[in-house]
Amino acid sequence: EQSNPLIPSRANVLERMITLAHAAGIEVHAWMWTVICRNPHVASKHGDWYSVNRKGEPANTKPAYVGYYKFLCPRQPEARQFIASHVTALASIAELDGVHLDYVRLPDVILAKGLWDKYGIVQDKEYPQYDYCYCGHCRAEFKRETGADPLTDLDDPPADQAWRQFRYDGVSQLVRAHLAPIARQQGKAITAAVFPNWEYVRQAWHTWGLDAYLPMLYHSFYDENISWIGEETSAAIARLESPAEVFPGLFGPSLTPAELSEAVATAKKAGGSGVALFDLNALTAKHWDRLAVALRQ
């Protein structure tokens, strides 16, 4: 919303929204695409900022799965500065309550199983076209740390625990050392949308020390039932290295009004502080009626 030559904005909508929301007693947390960058200027002029898969394909020209999967490299210094500038711009809005990080990860090396048919794939192992990041910066940094180039010196890169941890750490360092401090210096809460299958997106979010997490417990994506939402909520809370609120994310299009009520009750019973809902357009008046009752119970 604020001035940034690499983040074009048509209008400062947030400031107007905050005034209206606060008058109604609603907090506003600015949502941002964190590591994905579809900005054509960045994609064309700064191709070295992007993640590269094990086949050597950069995400800005050969994105995995869908066209918008143009993930920056979370370790590339200039990319980190660019991402941090977005947090700085949002956190500088005086009355904003918090900054919410989404897509703060790498591409899914293995998609949730319920999505395989949608993309016509079977992912029984970590295939190279989905395995990130093997950019020159990551390879050189890993070699400085370990003496091995992950692409040429490891017999089986997906099985190498040091290389796997290196990817976890790259995303975690971006959040802990670069993004969260900026928000907190401005007195803003810092939260993130995260995955239950965190290993497959290199997202060790339980180590980040944020104020709250919104794990995307879209049960239909994983071919699971509603009870799985409770199991994953409990597991997420237990895994956290520092206490934080957990708001399980529910996928509206997969839930009838009655199932939404059941999912909310399941999440709350498992220790969830509330729920996050996606998306607004999928919720009918009956959904909202059931939700109001469920949240009061």
Side-chain angles (χ1 to χ4, degrees), residues 175-191:
V175 176
R176 291 196 305 253
H178 297 271
L179 306 186
I182 295 170
R184 288 185 168 135
Q185 285 166 8
Q186 297 294 330
K188 311 301 183 187
I190 182 82
T191 64

Side-chain angles (χ1 to χ4, degrees), residues 243-261:
E245 292 188 298
V246 173
F247 297 88
L250 309 179
F251 189 60
S254 295
L255 296 165
T256 65
E259 289 170 339
L260 175 60
S261 181

Side-chain angles (χ1 to χ4, degrees), residues 5 17 24 26 29 36 69 72 96 102 151 180 186 190 197 203 206 211 224 227-228 231 235 255 278 284 287-288 291:
M17 182 186 300
I26 300 171
H29 296 251
I36 283 184
Y69 255 41
L72 298 171
L96 187 71
D102 199 358
L151 195 58
Q186 297 294 330
I190 182 82
N197 57 336
Q203 190 187 54
H206 50 281
D211 297 299
E224 297 285 355
S227 65
W228 175 85
E231 294 164 6
L255 296 165
F278 184 85
T284 66
H287 281 97
W288 288 113
L291 178 65

Side-chain angles (χ1 to χ4, degrees), residues 223-246:
D223 289 341
E224 297 285 355
N225 56 30
I226 290 175
S227 65
W228 175 85
I229 294 171
E231 294 164 6
E232 287 295 324
T233 300
S234 297
I237 294 169
R239 196 167 60 244
L240 290 176
E241 291 188 357
S242 57
E245 292 188 298
V246 173

